[in-house]
Amino acid sequence: MKFGGTSVANFEAITRTIFIVGGKLDQKPVVVVSALSKITDLLYRISDAAASRNETYTRELLDQLRQRHTDLAGELLSQSMMKDEAVAKVNEICDGLDSIVMAVCSLGELSDRNKAIIISKGEYLSSTIIGYAMNAKGIRTRWVDARSMMITNKSYLKAEPDTDAIVAKVPEIVAEAYEGMDAVITQGFVGVTSDGEPTVLGRGGSDYSASLIGLAVDAERIEIWTDVDGVRTADPRRVPNTRNLEKISFEEAAEMAHFGAKVLHPLTIEPAVKKNIPIYVLNSMNPSGKGTAILRNELIEDGVKSVSFKENIKVINIFSTKMINTSGFLRRVFEIFSESKVSVDLISTSEANISVTVDASEKIDSVVNALSEFADVIVDDDKSQVSVIGKNIVRLNGMLKKTFAPLKRCNVYMISQGASFVNISFVVDR
Ligand code: ASP
Ligand code: MG
C-alpha cells in the first residue's frame, strides 16, 4: 500500500490513512509512504539555497521544515506516551539534515550524492512519524529503512533499480520485520547502491518503489493511494466531463502514464506486469470508492480509454538523402540520442526523413550538433502531443476518421500509430 504526499499531508490525512491500513492488517500490508505533500519541493529549494550559499534563507527553510514535522508528530501523538520519543526522533533526522545542508552552504558545492541524501529526508520524516502514529493507534508497526533493500545503480538523483537485487533482498527483510508485528512501513523514492551509497528514484518515484516491493514480496495486489478517484479518461483540470475508468490494462496504463496522465509514475507498471500483480489506484479521501484497477490485457475490453496529452514538446525533423536505401542509419541517429541521454517519445519515418518528439525540458543542443554533421535538422518548438489510448483502437472501425475529424483547421505536424494498436498520437501547435 503506497500513500502519496496528499494522503499523508497532515493530521487528518494521516488519521484517514492509518484507518485504511488498519482495515487491511489480515493481508499483511507493506506500507510505503511519500514525503508529506510539498516537502520534497521544499527540500529541493533548501538544496538550491544552500548551494548558492544563501545562509539566512537556507536556515529559514530548514526551520520551516522542522516546525511542520515536529508539530505534526506532536499532534498525532498528543495522547500517547511515545510522543516525546517521536518528536525527539524527528528532531534527530532534522539535525542530520541541518548539518549536511549547512556544510553544503559553507562550501557552496552540492554533489548529486549529497543532494540525494537531502531530498530523501522527507520520506524518512514521514515514515518515522506515521510509524509512531500507527503504533500509538495499536497497530504494531516495524519501521524498515528502504536503504537496507532498494538497490539501485549509481545515478544518485534518478537511480535505476536493480530488480534482481531487490527481489533477492526484500522478502527476507520484510519477513523478518514482520515478526511479532501487524504491519511494516518503509520509505518510497529512496534507494541505495550496492556499496551502500544513498540514491533516490527520481520525482514521483514512490509509486515505483511500491510496485518493486510488490513484485519482490509477490504481493496479491499493489495499492496506490492518492487524492483522486482513480485514473480518468482525460485530465479533469483541462477537459470537462471526464469519467473515471474502472479498469484498464497494464499496457493502456503504461501508455497513459508516458503520454501525459499524471496519476502514476510511468515505470510503476513494469514490475507489476512481470508477475501479473493487479495495481489499484485508490482515493484516500474516498476509501470506499472503486478506484481504478490496472489488470492484465485479457481482462480488458477493446476501445478508447483515454485522451492524454503532453502540452510542451519539441519536434526534431531529421532529413538526409543518405538514408535512402541504406541500413544502419536509424541506429546512428538513435545512438546520438542515447549518448546525450535524451529520451524520445514519438517517432515517425519515411525514406529520407525521421521525425521524433522530445519533452520540451530535454537539452538537445548536443544531439542537434551531432546530427547536423550528416543531416539537415530542424527543431520545432512549442508543439503539443495528443494521444488517444485504448486496447485495439487502431483496429476499430472509423477510429482514425473520428480521431482526425476535429483537426480540420489545425496543422498536424506528425502522426504516430504504434503497431501495438493501443495508441494513436499526433502533434499540433501548442
Ligand atoms: N516525494 C517524492 C516526490 O515528491 C517521491 C514521491 O512522492 O513519489 O517526488
Ligand atoms: Mg506521485
Side-chain angles (χ1 to χ4, degrees), residues 170-428:
V170 168
E172 202 185 315
I173 288 176
V174 168
E176 237 169 61
Y178 243 106
E179 269 166 40
M181 293 285 154
D182 304 316
V184 164
I185 191 169
T186 189
Q187 310 79 42
F189 184 52
V190 172
V192 65
T193 66
S194 53
D195 331 318
E197 289 196 277
T199 62
V200 292
L201 299 185
R203 292 311 305 266
S206 292
D207 298 342
Y208 194 19
S209 302
S211 79
L212 287 161
I213 293 172
L215 165 73
V217 301
D218 211 353
E220 209 168 283
R221 48 198 273 146
I222 295 163
E223 296 183 351
I224 307 289
W225 289 86
T226 167
D227 59 351
V228 293
D229 272 324
V231 181
R232 298 190 77 79
T233 49
D235 183 343
R237 288 165 300 187
R238 306 298 291 275
V239 182
N241 306 324
T242 60
R243 280 181 299 112
N244 222 53
L245 290 160
E246 224 167 274
K247 51 184 184 177
I248 54 177
S249 69
F250 288 129
E251 209 179 333
E252 289 170 338
E255 295 277 347
M256 287 162 73
H258 278 293
F259 292 117
K262 289 188 187 62
V263 182
L264 280 183
H265 185 280
L267 295 173
T268 310
I269 313 297
E270 189 195 279
V273 171
K274 285 200 179 132
K275 279 194 185 161
N276 261 324
I277 304 172
I279 300 177
Y280 292 84
V281 179
L282 298 157
N283 187 352
S284 65
M285 296 188 222
N286 176 23
S288 56
K290 278 206 188 108
T292 301
I294 306 175
L295 308 168
R296 50 175 224 277
N297 210 27
E298 301 82 79
L299 301 174
I300 303 301
E301 283 164 26
D302 287 356
V304 176
K305 303 304 184 317
S306 154
V307 179
S308 304
F309 64 89
K310 269 194 173 178
E311 181 169 333
N312 192 6
I313 63 156
K314 295 183 226 203
V315 179
I316 306 172
N317 292 295
I318 304 152
F319 173 81
S320 171
T321 48
K322 291 201 192 87
M323 186 166 152
I324 301 169
N325 286 329
T326 58
S327 62
F329 188 83
L330 288 173
R331 196 198 63 189
R332 244 173 102 197
V333 167
F334 288 107
E335 254 166 18
I336 290 170
F337 280 92
S338 157
E339 277 155 19
S340 304
K341 295 202 162 55
V342 171
S343 153
V344 169
D345 287 329
L346 302 177
I347 308 168
S348 164
T349 68
S350 63
E351 265 304 314
N353 246 303
I354 308 172
S355 302
V356 306
T357 67
V358 299
D359 201 89
S361 63
E362 294 278 3
K363 302 218 173 6
I364 58 168
D365 292 352
S366 64
V367 168
V368 172
N369 287 339
L371 290 170
S372 297
E373 282 176 21
F374 58 91
D376 295 327
V377 182
I378 299 170
V379 179
D380 282 329
D381 291 316
D382 269 334
K383 299 285 175 274
S384 291
Q385 166 191 323
V386 180
S387 302
V388 181
I389 295 163
K391 184 180 171 190
N392 283 328
I393 49 169
V394 178
R395 286 182 173 147
L396 300 181
N397 246 337
M399 200 47 230
L400 287 176
K401 195 172 154 196
K402 255 194 196 161
T403 303
F404 291 106
L407 297 172
K408 255 183 278 176
R409 268 177 286 279
C410 299
N411 286 328
V412 176
Y413 296 90
M414 197 175 146
I415 298 173
S416 164
Q417 173 206 307
S420 68
F421 302 118
V422 84
N423 180 334
I424 305 171
S425 294
F426 55 87
V427 174
V428 291

Side-chain angles (χ1 to χ4, degrees), residues 2 4-5 34-36 40-41 44 119 123 188-189 202-207:
K2 178 261 175 177
S34 292
L36 312 189
T40 309
D41 292 335
Y44 269 90
I119 61 180
E123 271 70 12
F189 184 52
R203 292 311 305 266
S206 292
D207 298 342

Side-chain angles (χ1 to χ4, degrees), residues 151-155 158-163 166 192 199-201 208 212 267 341:
I151 312 295
T152 70
N153 72 359
K154 272 185 190 292
S155 314
K158 215 179 167 184
E160 283 168 33
D162 178 343
T163 308
I166 290 170
V192 65
T199 62
V200 292
L201 299 185
Y208 194 19
L212 287 161
L267 295 173
K341 295 202 162 55

